Amino acid sequence: MPRPKKKEEAEVEVVETPDQAAGKGDLDVEELEGIGKVTGQKLKERGYYTVRDLAFASAKEIADIIGSEERAEQIIEAARSMLGLSNFITALEVYKKRVNIKRISTGVRSLDELLNGGVETGAVTEVAGEFGAGKTQFCHQLAVMVQLPEDKGGLSAKAIYIDTENTFRPERITQMARARGLDPDQALKNIYYARAYSSDHQMILAEQARQIIKQDNIKLLVVDSIVAHFRAEFPGRENLAERQQKLNKHIADLLKIADAYDVAVVVTNQVMAQPDVFFGNPLKPAGGNVLAHGATYRIWLRKSKENIRIAKIFDSPYHPEREATFKITEEGLTD
Ligand code: GTP
Ligand code: MG
């Protein structure tokens, strides 16, 4: 037991900042007490390399690897306590964490205002909308914006782009990069791209993205679209439970990546018509409640006249339901 602290002492002691904890998070899993070479090897084979990976893992995942749920829980608890992550934290720590959050400007003033400055790191942002609403354009633009220096709205960082619908266009990136004063070739080099061919492949890519994030300065992870493969592979009501279970796992993985590595995760989602709605909006994002609860922020895009688009935040804990208007032009998304 540590000796009781005097009041002033307790106040300065506070707990490590996320940065200090992040340092320990990079330690090899074998640095944890109770993990030997063999267990360490098994964990690494399945993608758990560092103490941070274990701290954010679920007991079930680890139990599947090492064969004991009880031991899995002990390992995860040990990793969490090494990082100073117990289940309860003080409101001061929550506040510190939030102060630490960075934002990627969308490059559009009205959209940034809607988002209190841009897309947040450490969170999952869902962009929903009908066909042609501009979801993919929004993702392209962010992949460029994240590269800008902080005084221009970026984070001087790179992006990972998981493309499930084959709609990523490098030419579009070069146009947007030029418009922002970036070297187009360099802008392309700063985006890691992968095409996902199935929902399983998409989930594996998310795991591989985690490895890249550890080694490189990534602050944006895009999944465009998050639900398309899941909807295609698990059609109809009879497959709904299985689909939602898998999707749930995928979103949980993405949330963990956002949280553990302070990355902005942006996912797109299609909207579906609900034939049974007579009042209000008959369109509804696909993915059901799994996405509704998984995404921290949800942006709804819709088409207006010609190249005009309207964005709205929905389901947000602290954004009022405002709207913002923007355009899609040669240069990308603009005011
Ligand atoms: P789905 O993926 O089909 O659901 O749609 P989405 O929401 O991803 O739409 P997307 O972002 O692909 O937006 C497509 C729209 O962007 C097009 O209808 C065009 O209006 C606009 N757009 C795309 N590329 C360009 C471009 O190079 N120049 C201009 N001016 N507009 C573009
Ligand atoms: Mg699209």
Side-chain angles (χ1 to χ4, degrees), residues 130-137 165 172 175 309 328-330:
E130 58 193 313
F131 164 81
K135 304 180 294 291
T136 297
Q137 296 300 308
E165 300 185 301
R172 198 66 184 121
Q175 286 176 337
R309 298 291 187 275
I328 306 180
T329 70
E330 184 79 20

Side-chain angles (χ1 to χ4, degrees), residues 209-220:
R210 179 200 286 269
Q211 302 309 323
I212 300 173
I213 289 167
K214 270 187 235 171
Q215 289 154 18
D216 209 337
N217 176 29
I218 309 285
K219 284 290 163 205
L220 173 70

Side-chain angles (χ1 to χ4, degrees), residues 5 25 27 45 72 120 128 149 238-239 290 305 311:
K5 293 190 178 68
L27 288 176
E45 273 162 22
E120 279 189 8
E238 66 276 22
N239 295 311
V290 177
K305 283 189 292 239

